[in-house]
Amino acid sequence: MVRAARAAAGCTAPAESQAARRAGTMGSMFRSEEVVLVQLFLPTAAAYTCVSQLGELGLVEFRDLNESVSAFQRRFTVDIRRCEELEKTFTFLEEQVRRAGLALPPPEGRLPAPPPRDLLRIQEETERLAQELRDVHGNHQALRTQLHQLQLHSAVLQQNHGPPPAAAHTDGPSSERTPLLPPRQGPHQDLRVNFVAGAVEPRKAAALERLLWRACRGFLIASFREAERQLEDPLTGEPVTWMTFLISYWGEQIGQKIRKITDCFHCHIFPFLEEEAARHGTLQQLQQQSQELQEVLRETEGFLSQVLGQVQQLLPRGQVQVRKMKAVYLALNQCSVSSTHKCLVAEAWCATQDLPALQQALRESSSEAGVSAVAHRIACRDMPPTLIRTNRFTASFQSIVDAYGVGCYQEVNPAPYTIITFPFLFAVMFGDVGHGLLVFLFALAMVLAENRPAVRTAQNEIWQTFFGGRYLLLLMGLFSVYTGFIYNECFSRATTIFPSGWSVAAMANQSGWSDAFLSQHPLLTLDPNVTGVFLGPYPFGIDPVWSLATNHLSFLNSFKMKMSVILGVTHMAFGVLLGVFNHVHFRQGYRLLLETLPELIFLLGLFGYLVFLVVYKWLCVTVTHAASAPSILIHFINMFLFSSSPTNQPLYSGQEVVQHALVVLALAMVPVLLLGTPLYLLHRWQRSRHSPRPAVGQQDKNEDKAGCMDSPDACEKGWSSDEEKARCPGGEEEAEFAASEVLMHQAIHTIEFCLGCISNTASYLRLWALSLAHAQLSEVLWAMVMRVGLRMCGEVGVVSVALVPVFATFAVMTVAILLVMEGLSAFLHALRLHWVEFQNKFYAGTGYKLSPFTFAIQDE
């Protein structure tokens, strides 16, 4: 119901309250703020004002104290229904304004929730405008329908439905006196000819004509002609073409059939006089009536515009006020009534640092009632909600974490570390100076234009997604530029910023390459063992000479694969270390020895040792021994098999002993991780069971102290981890310890961690795979588009003209394939590495957000 209240309060909070809410944002980013449960005693006369003020500030989240009471039996249900009826009326008025092609202006200034006595005034004014609008709209619609009938009648009379010119009599004194039908002879000469004239929709004309001919067996003459001009439909306002008809017949029975058939086709039937002069007089009367009716219609439209103008002035303000009022009543329905019926009792979650502001708001709101509202902290056993304040920069990173799961109360928040690790891991897979610079400039443009109303209020969903993550895109582009310099790639081309560390001239001078040798060997090898060929490592990143080498891909494969393993193990170990802060904060020191230490030994003893081998080989194996360098992969496999390979020499002396010891130590950590925590909890439960319990009076005294406003740990002692909750639902001292639940939970955690170390390490190889894929796609796009255009021969002007579509194709494909598709792929993979490989090492994510009762819509 609180969520419904927040949804109903669709208005903007004052800027000063938002600034106050954002104060100390970075101080609470590493861990959620302390949230306590407070009990509010609101005087009945000031309850509405107090809750309204709390809604403006957005400090507390109300708890429903009437869960057992149905929504129809609560105290303020009648007021809520009145607000809902007003909302229905507002919806009707808004629909009428929209149909008139008008727009509602935004509400001006800050609009507080109106006092309850103003609800009747708003309701009367709204109902008056709605009734006027209904009456005027009904009259307007009736006038338009009447005008349409007059115009349609005029169109029927203006049509010439007489016989064709060849059949007309031309020997008479005047063509106007020529009878419509020739005189009849025989027994039926005394029958009178009758006429039926009207209009029908064009799509029904053919069917009407066929049905008339068949039903009347040809005893009629029907003429169908399309109207000369289109008429406006009175309901939709769209121009419609009508088909007019004139039917002449003999006999009353035929006439009845014709009328029934035309009624079935919803035809408009009008009187039709046989004399031309009478028809002309009727037509003049119709035109005069149409002019008079149009004048009345213009006056009606003017009055309708005045009513709609009043609606435009009332509706924006009234909608905001009624929504706030409804939200206040929904919050009051969650309060219980005291035994004396003089005050309302509410319970709410509130951040500790907001308690002074809460007290001040209650005092100011209840000052006119004569009795001040009271708030005090109470003890609770429920886990408090999580409150992490964000700003424009941190909101997108916190959203990434919350999408996995909202953190438990005061659990370590991964968002501050995600600010660095997420863009960096994305950049490892997306490393390119040119591509990263395009992403950076796009995000920078959004950041610079973020305060423009047109940019913030754009309704395009894709644009809103990009705009919400503009700071994330900014860092992703910046880190991609950095890794692009490391890979030395700019749109797949290498750049020479510093002099290369390889010398081709020294190799040519000392190898004696002749012209015949060069003609027979299109590929030449640079040997670093030759003096002067390899001058030293490149100052920053990959040497540009590697872009010319045929083994460029093999070199990058080895480099990026090892880099991925190092980054993955480091990232996972950092996640395990972050769990230390959780255990220390929640005073669970036993977990440091029984969980964190075994996890670190298992992870670093196996995969940390693999990182050590990689770094050791890089540092200790020189160029002269590169050909006989041992294989790290074979060493790592032999480590688990407790074997050795005679062809694969050890990297250092005593390597086999160290490897065997690490494997045994890692395997020994598995039973510690599996049984350590359950045995410790069982021992602690048995010891607490036999220890003397405190006296009842002392226990009540401690509980009273926990309810004071100055007690910082009132809500912190009432909940703990899942293992410590593994008792019977009553939570009594005599409850039996559910060892099976604790053991099952720990077994799942042990299996998940041990197997996850292997699978997660392999999962980080996606950094290597996607980085190579991005580089190869860039190379293919350059080779198949730009290189073809640059190799075109001909005049300079012709080449310049031809390069325009080539570059346009290259730019479009770069944005569509490499930036959008590859960027989305790298983003999703970086997201998975954080959710699965990093956060599951320390982050439970089973909490729930603090959703304060507020009137504000914060668009971060």
Side-chain angles (χ1 to χ4, degrees):
M1 191 169 290
V2 175
R3 295 180 179 177
R6 290 194 303 271
C11 50
T12 306
E16 58 268 16
S17 65
Q18 295 185 14
R21 295 278 296 165
R22 290 170 180 162
T25 295
M26 293 309 296
S28 62
M29 277 293 292
F30 296 96
R31 194 183 300 277
S32 63
E33 293 188 27
E34 182 183 359
V35 177
V36 295
L37 184 64
V38 294
Q39 191 174 42
L40 310 178
F41 292 92
L42 309 175
T44 305
Y48 180 91
T49 308
C50 293
V51 175
S52 174
Q53 183 63 26
L54 293 180
E56 296 290 346
L57 299 177
L59 300 178
V60 298
E61 175 186 354
F62 287 99
R63 298 178 71 186
D64 193 358
L65 302 182
N66 301 317
E67 293 181 350
S68 59
V69 182
S70 66
F72 302 101
Q73 298 176 346
R74 300 195 180 191
R75 183 170 184 175
F76 299 96
T77 301
V78 176
D79 301 286
I80 294 175
R81 288 179 179 175
R82 293 174 63 186
C83 294
E84 290 176 348
E85 291 296 328
L86 270 175
E87 287 181 340
K88 293 179 182 179
T89 307
F90 287 149
T91 303
F92 166 75
L93 295 177
E94 187 175 1
E95 180 66 18
Q96 296 302 317
V97 172
R98 186 188 63 81
R99 286 184 178 180
L102 303 176
L104 291 175
E108 298 179 358
R110 178 188 172 208
L111 298 174
R117 61 178 177 271
D118 289 351
L119 181 60
L120 183 60
R121 176 187 57 81
I122 297 175
Q123 187 175 7
E124 291 178 352
E125 188 175 0
T126 304
E127 289 295 338
R128 179 184 60 82
L129 283 178
Q131 188 60 38
E132 286 185 2
L133 196 58
R134 290 189 187 98
D135 295 340
V136 175
H137 186 268
N139 295 335
H140 182 263
Q141 189 65 33
L143 291 174
R144 290 186 61 183
T145 303
Q146 187 177 356
L147 179 62
H148 180 263
Q149 291 291 327
L150 294 177
Q151 293 175 346
L152 202 57
H153 192 181
S154 300
V156 172
L157 294 180
Q158 288 174 356
Q159 292 292 97
N160 183 15
H161 289 279
H169 296 277
T170 59
D171 54 353
S174 175
S175 60
E176 294 182 357
R177 298 180 181 179
T178 303
L180 192 63
L181 294 174
R184 296 191 170 271
Q185 304 294 334
H188 301 288
Q189 61 181 351
D190 295 333
L191 292 178
R192 181 184 176 185
V193 179
N194 297 315
F195 298 93
V196 175
V200 67
E201 297 179 11
R203 59 187 179 88
K204 300 179 181 180
L208 175 62
E209 186 175 5
R210 287 195 303 268
L211 187 58
L212 286 172
W213 182 261
R214 293 174 182 175
C216 300
R217 300 182 181 182
F219 289 100
L220 56 82
I221 298 176
S223 174
F224 286 82
R225 291 189 180 183
E226 186 175 324
E228 296 179 356
R229 62 187 182 91
Q230 293 180 332
L231 300 179
E232 183 179 356
D233 189 276
L235 297 178
T236 62
E238 298 179 356
V240 178
T241 301
W242 288 88
M243 186 72 71
T244 62
F245 60 86
L246 177 62
I247 304 172
S248 57
Y249 63 92
W250 300 269
E252 186 63 28
Q253 293 182 356
I254 298 298
Q256 293 178 0
K257 289 184 179 181
I258 293 174
R259 291 184 182 88
K260 289 181 180 179
I261 293 174
T262 53
D263 290 342
C264 292
F265 280 83
H266 301 284
C267 300
H268 297 270
I269 305 300
F270 304 103
F272 187 85
L273 302 177
E274 184 176 358
E275 293 78 8
E276 183 69 23
R279 291 200 302 271
H280 184 69
T282 303
L283 182 59
Q284 291 180 347
Q285 293 179 3
L286 291 175
Q287 291 177 351
Q288 183 178 1
Q289 291 178 8
S290 297
Q291 293 177 358
E292 295 175 355
L293 202 58
Q294 288 177 355
E295 184 66 25
V296 176
L297 192 59
R298 281 193 292 269
E299 294 293 334
T300 305
E301 290 176 350
F303 184 71
L304 180 61
S305 300
Q306 295 179 4
V307 177
L308 289 176
Q310 297 178 11
V311 172
Q312 283 184 297
Q313 296 178 0
L314 170 68
L315 197 56
R317 181 183 183 90
Q319 282 181 323
V320 173
Q321 290 180 330
V322 171
R323 286 174 183 172
K324 284 190 175 184
M325 186 176 294
K326 180 182 176 182
V328 172
Y329 284 130
L330 288 172
L332 290 174
N333 262 349
Q334 299 178 354
C335 304
S336 61
V337 183
S338 64
S339 57
T340 59
H341 296 275
K342 293 184 179 180
C343 68
L344 297 180
V345 181
E347 292 183 2
W349 296 107
C350 180
T352 303
Q353 74 173 46
D354 293 334
L355 289 176
L358 173 62
Q359 292 278 24
Q360 180 67 21
L362 293 178
R363 281 195 298 268
E364 294 177 355
S365 303
S366 59
S367 58
E368 297 181 358
V371 180
S372 177
V374 178
H376 70 93
R377 184 184 301 184
I378 60 176
C380 63
R381 297 192 59 84
D382 297 333
M383 184 176 68
T386 300
L387 173 61
I388 299 176
R389 306 181 198 265
T390 58
N391 52 29
R392 293 179 179 180
F393 179 75
T394 60
S396 56
F397 298 96
Q398 188 63 50
S399 299
I400 292 177
V401 176
D402 292 342
Y404 174 81
V406 180
C408 296
Y409 176 63
Q410 293 203 329
E411 185 180 17
V412 170
N413 183 25
Y417 318 103
T418 305
I419 294 176
I420 300 300
T421 58
F422 188 89
F424 178 72
L425 293 183
F426 170 86
V428 170
M429 297 177 279
F430 196 75
D432 189 285
V433 175
H435 301 157
L437 187 61
L438 292 178
V439 175
F440 175 79
L441 293 178
F442 173 66
L444 183 62
M446 290 191 292
V447 170
L448 296 178
E450 65 181 1
N451 293 324
R452 296 181 181 178
V455 176
R456 297 181 63 89
T457 59
Q459 298 299 320
N460 187 278
E461 187 175 355
I462 298 178
W463 170 257
Q464 290 178 350
T465 302
F466 282 113
F467 185 75
R470 57 194 180 278
Y471 289 100
L472 176 62
L473 289 174
L474 188 73
L475 290 186
M476 287 162 55
L478 189 63
F479 276 79
S480 297
V481 172
Y482 169 74
T483 54
F485 278 116
I486 291 181
Y487 297 156
N488 201 351
E489 292 183 0
C490 181
F491 297 109
S492 77
R493 300 292 89 192
T495 57
T496 306
I497 302 177
F498 305 101
S500 175
W502 295 80
S503 175
V504 180
M507 188 69 187
N509 294 332
Q510 299 189 28
S511 300
W513 290 341
S514 61
D515 294 339
F517 180 84
L518 294 176
S519 61
Q520 296 177 1
H521 297 80
L523 299 179
L524 304 175
T525 303
L526 297 181
D527 188 0
N529 292 317
V530 177
T531 305
V533 174
F534 182 68
L535 304 178
Y538 197 65
F540 186 81
I542 303 296
D543 199 303
V545 75
W546 281 104
S547 62
L548 306 175
T550 57
N551 59 341
H552 173 62
L553 188 59
S554 301
F555 168 75
L556 288 182
N557 264 334
S558 176
F559 167 72
K560 292 183 178 180
M561 180 175 62
K562 295 181 176 67
M563 176 194 66
S564 302
V565 174
I566 294 175
L567 292 177
V569 174
T570 304
H571 200 208
M572 290 189 295
F574 179 65
V576 175
L577 288 176
L578 286 179
V580 174
F581 298 97
N582 280 335
H583 303 329
V584 172
H585 177 78
F586 295 123
R587 301 173 184 176
Q588 298 173 347
Y590 64 93
R591 293 182 180 273
L592 295 175
L593 298 177
L594 301 179
E595 291 186 8
T596 303
L597 185 60
E599 289 174 354
L600 283 175
I601 294 176
F602 185 88
L603 176 63
L604 298 180
L606 299 180
F607 300 100
Y609 178 72
L610 176 62
V611 174
F612 166 76
L613 293 180
V614 172
V615 176
Y616 184 86
K617 183 178 179 180
W618 279 347
L619 297 177
C620 298
V621 176
T622 59
V623 175
T624 56
H625 301 88
S628 60
S631 172
I632 296 178
L633 181 60
I634 296 178
H635 276 305
F636 196 63
I637 295 174
N638 291 335
M639 175 179 174
F640 291 95
L641 298 178
F642 290 93
S643 62
S644 60
S645 178
T647 59
N648 195 46
Q649 299 298 323
L651 285 171
Y652 57 92
S653 59
Q655 181 178 354
E656 292 186 7
V657 178
V658 173
Q659 292 181 167
H660 295 167
L662 289 177
V663 172
V664 172
L665 184 61
L667 294 178
M669 293 298 103
V670 176
V672 176
L673 188 61
L674 176 63
L675 302 175
T677 299
L679 293 177
Y680 173 81
L681 293 177
L682 178 61
H683 172 70
R684 191 177 68 174
W685 175 76
Q686 291 177 347
R687 186 177 58 183
S688 62
R689 187 179 182 183
H690 297 291
S691 61
R693 288 178 292 179
V696 178
Q698 183 67 24
Q699 185 177 1
D700 294 340
K701 183 178 180 181
N702 294 335
E703 291 180 357
D704 294 338
K705 288 183 178 180
C708 298
M709 292 289 291
D710 298 331
S711 176
D713 300 328
C715 291
E716 189 172 325
K717 298 178 181 179
W719 65 279
S720 58
S721 62
D722 293 338
E723 292 87 346
E724 294 180 356
K725 283 186 175 181
R727 303 175 184 267
C728 291
E732 302 291 339
E733 290 289 341
E734 296 82 3
E736 293 295 332
F737 181 75
S740 59
E741 295 184 12
V742 177
L743 185 60
M744 180 63 68
H745 180 90
Q746 193 65 21
I748 294 174
H749 173 73
T750 303
I751 296 173
E752 181 182 7
F753 179 82
C754 296
L755 296 182
C757 287
I758 302 173
S759 62
N760 294 348
T761 303
S763 180
Y764 276 94
L765 293 178
R766 69 184 69 239
L767 299 174
W768 158 49
L770 266 76
S771 176
L772 287 178
H774 184 80
Q776 291 303 304
L777 278 175
S778 302
E779 177 66 28
V780 169
L781 188 60
W782 177 273
M784 298 185 66
V785 179
M786 286 300 296
R787 187 177 296 172
V788 173
L790 295 174
R791 286 181 177 178
M792 296 175 62
C793 57
E795 299 296 331
V796 176
V798 176
V799 173
S800 301
V801 173
L803 282 179
V804 173
V806 171
F807 180 76
T809 303
F810 177 77
V812 171
M813 297 185 69
T814 297
V815 173
I817 298 177
L818 296 179
L819 295 187
V820 178
M821 294 179 60
E822 278 289 306
L824 180 61
S825 175
F827 179 88
L828 294 177
H829 284 284
L831 197 64
R832 182 244 155 77
L833 290 178
H834 279 78
W835 283 357
V836 179
E837 278 73 26
F838 174 61
Q839 290 183 185
N840 70 348
K841 299 295 185 296
F842 67 97
Y843 186 69
T846 56
Y848 62 101
K849 283 185 178 182
L850 176 71
S851 301
F853 170 73
T854 177
F855 298 145
I857 297 178
Q858 296 181 0
D859 186 12
E860 295 296 342

